[in-house]
Amino acid sequence: RSAVGRQPETQGTWEGYAVGSNPSRTVLSRSCRDQMIATVAGNLVADGCFVLADHVNWRNGAPTPINGHTPDIIAEKGDQRLVFEVEDCATYADRHTRDQLSAFARARGCQVRVVVPAVCHGEHSRPFAARDHMLLILGLWGLGNRVGVAVCDPSAGTVAY
């Protein structure tokens, strides 16, 4: 396969502290994001894709970096190569995510998707659709025509592309 894997990295897990490569991610948000990664990867396998997934001890291993950043998921089916970056409510609009998506969007032959939760909570705990906000942000970042948005609900096991 062209998507040669690497072993997942071990990262710290101190509750309340930033975890992994994104300084905005806490243990709680990491757990949510990891559930979303497993859900998306499982759905892709069910659709007949060969999948590499990071952070969840995936059986086929983890993706290798693309333009200096490691995606959460790479899926291949036939000639199609899909790159997924899975973000939680705390990280989907931050600079680290923008840098990752920009790097993946520059790669040839890849379709890039950012996966967000269906609902996030904003000011005064008001719920809002993360997908709509992500589409707006992608436009502001100049990525609106190069990165798609998917929504994951890990409790229901669903992903909407």
Side-chain angles (χ1 to χ4, degrees), residues 40-71:
V40 172
N43 276 270
L44 291 164
V45 167
D47 192 35
C49 294
F50 174 78
V51 175
L52 298 172
D54 204 4
H55 309 292
V56 293
N57 295 319
W58 193 253
R59 63 183 164 262
N60 295 327
T64 56
I66 297 173
N67 291 327
H69 293 273
T70 303

Side-chain angles (χ1 to χ4, degrees), residues 45-131:
V45 167
D47 192 35
C49 294
F50 174 78
V51 175
L52 298 172
D54 204 4
H55 309 292
V56 293
N57 295 319
W58 193 253
R59 63 183 164 262
N60 295 327
T64 56
I66 297 173
N67 291 327
H69 293 273
T70 303
D72 291 319
I73 300 169
I74 290 180
E76 294 181 345
K77 186 176 181 180
D79 296 349
Q80 236 182 355
R81 188 172 199 212
L82 307 169
V83 176
F84 293 87
E85 186 58 29
V86 180
E87 297 297 336
D88 54 51
C89 294
T91 62
Y92 75 86
D94 68 18
R95 181 184 184 114
H96 181 75
T97 300
R98 183 193 69 196
D99 293 347
Q100 288 177 303
L101 294 175
S102 295
F104 303 151
R106 288 192 312 270
R108 290 192 170 178
C110 296
Q111 295 178 35
V112 181
R113 302 284 181 269
V114 60
V115 182
V116 296
V119 176
C120 290
H121 295 277
E123 190 174 338
H124 305 295
S125 296
R126 292 185 188 151
F128 64 91
R131 178 187 181 278

